[in-house]
Amino acid sequence: MSAQLPVLPKLMIDEAVKAALLEDWGRAGDITSQATIPADKAATAVIAARKPGVLSGLGLAESTFRQTEDALRFEGLASDGGRLEKGTIVARISGPARAILSAERVALNYLGHLSGIASATAHFADLISHTSADIVCTRKTTPGLRAFEKYAVRCGGGSNHRFGLDDAILIKDNHIAVAGGVRQAIEAAKAFAGHLVKIEVEVDTLDQLREALPLKPDVVMLDNMGPDLLKQAVQIADGQVLLEASGGIEADTIKAIAEAGVDLISSGWITHSATVLDLGLDIEIG
């Protein structure tokens, strides 16, 4: 797990949750709870993990209940980034029963999705923990949820790649094709970039790597190279730049890729295809 997690701005959390609640409630609110539960009925519920994993999104869940009803009391019993066993209770909510049930699905959607990303990241990080490589995310995120999904990656012990098109220059194969080559693209980027802007270039071959190294980019992305090619790339670079392996990163390949000696391994899978972690809300009886 990361030593310190970033702090998501409260306004960002609340605005996202507000939109999600309005989407779920529609024009008339939770008519099932209104029809079946007396307005003055109180209840206590717990949210618990139904499978092992890593928690992420507790702040979004809390905001969901808080924005649904001021009278609800939310007690967090676990922390984002924490490892969960099956049955671990992560929160207890008490107050008006209608409000608890009206907020349930939005809260669980956030928790399950983000905890799934954190759990997938942690699994990858565990597989390469014996190496010096770090697992990083990509921009392959759900529109509108990028900050939260990248936060979940951090909860799982990964690191963040760029957040958008404006915070780093990443020269990919199509940029190279239009610019006329690796050298032309890097030289143009260096002429454009300010002194605080990092430059990364994607290469598909060892010849492209050799062409890029004298131009001193900050990072070279080695795209879709197997472990043998990656080992050769590490030897050629000889510590001159950070090397990032990308493409086809899966649980059964990541160990060999990390052992090739690269510095970073980027995965879109951990944000766009991670399995939701099963957490459930149950009313405490008695």
Side-chain angles (χ1 to χ4, degrees), residues 155-269:
C155 290
S159 298
N160 295 146
H161 213 288
R162 60 180 181 162
F163 273 70
L165 294 173
D166 63 335
D167 61 349
I169 292 176
L170 175 46
I171 304 167
K172 305 200 76 175
D173 54 352
N174 285 331
H175 300 104
I176 291 170
V178 176
V182 171
R183 177 182 59 80
Q184 294 92 328
I186 296 176
E187 287 178 345
K190 283 183 168 288
F192 176 89
H195 68 287
L196 293 179
V197 178
K198 297 284 188 180
I199 297 174
E200 179 172 4
V201 61
E202 176 187 272
V203 301
D204 302 315
T205 67
L206 296 180
D207 284 341
Q208 285 185 321
L209 172 62
R210 293 187 182 96
E211 185 179 359
L213 288 174
L215 301 168
K216 300 186 184 304
D218 297 290
V219 187
V220 174
M221 178 186 291
L222 306 168
D223 189 46
N224 283 301
M225 293 187 184
D228 291 339
L229 273 182
L230 290 172
K231 289 177 182 178
Q232 294 180 57
V234 170
Q235 292 176 346
I236 292 168
D238 194 28
Q240 297 177 65
V241 296
L242 287 174
L243 294 178
E244 174 186 332
S246 180
I249 308 301
E250 299 176 353
D252 60 349
T253 62
I254 192 170
K255 183 173 180 286
I257 289 171
E259 289 174 347
V262 296
D263 303 291
L264 305 166
I265 302 174
S266 58
S267 169
W269 185 91

Side-chain angles (χ1 to χ4, degrees), residues 1 39 45 67 86 91-92 95 103 111 126 133 135 138 141 174 192 198 202 236-237 279 282:
M1 186 182 71
Q67 290 195 63
K86 180 179 179 180
R92 179 173 281 107
L111 280 174
D126 288 346
I135 184 73
T138 70
T141 55
N174 285 331
F192 176 89
K198 297 284 188 180
E202 176 187 272
I236 292 168
L279 296 107
D282 292 298

Side-chain angles (χ1 to χ4, degrees), residues 54 83 116-131 133-137 153 156-159 247-258 265-274:
V54 176
R83 302 256 175 165
I117 291 172
S119 301
T121 304
H123 180 54
F124 277 13
D126 288 346
L127 290 172
I128 64 172
S129 61
H130 63 293
T131 73
D134 290 326
I135 184 73
V136 301
C137 53
V153 168
S159 298
I249 308 301
E250 299 176 353
D252 60 349
T253 62
I254 192 170
K255 183 173 180 286
I257 289 171
I265 302 174
S266 58
S267 169
W269 185 91
I270 57 176
T271 51
H272 68 60
S273 294

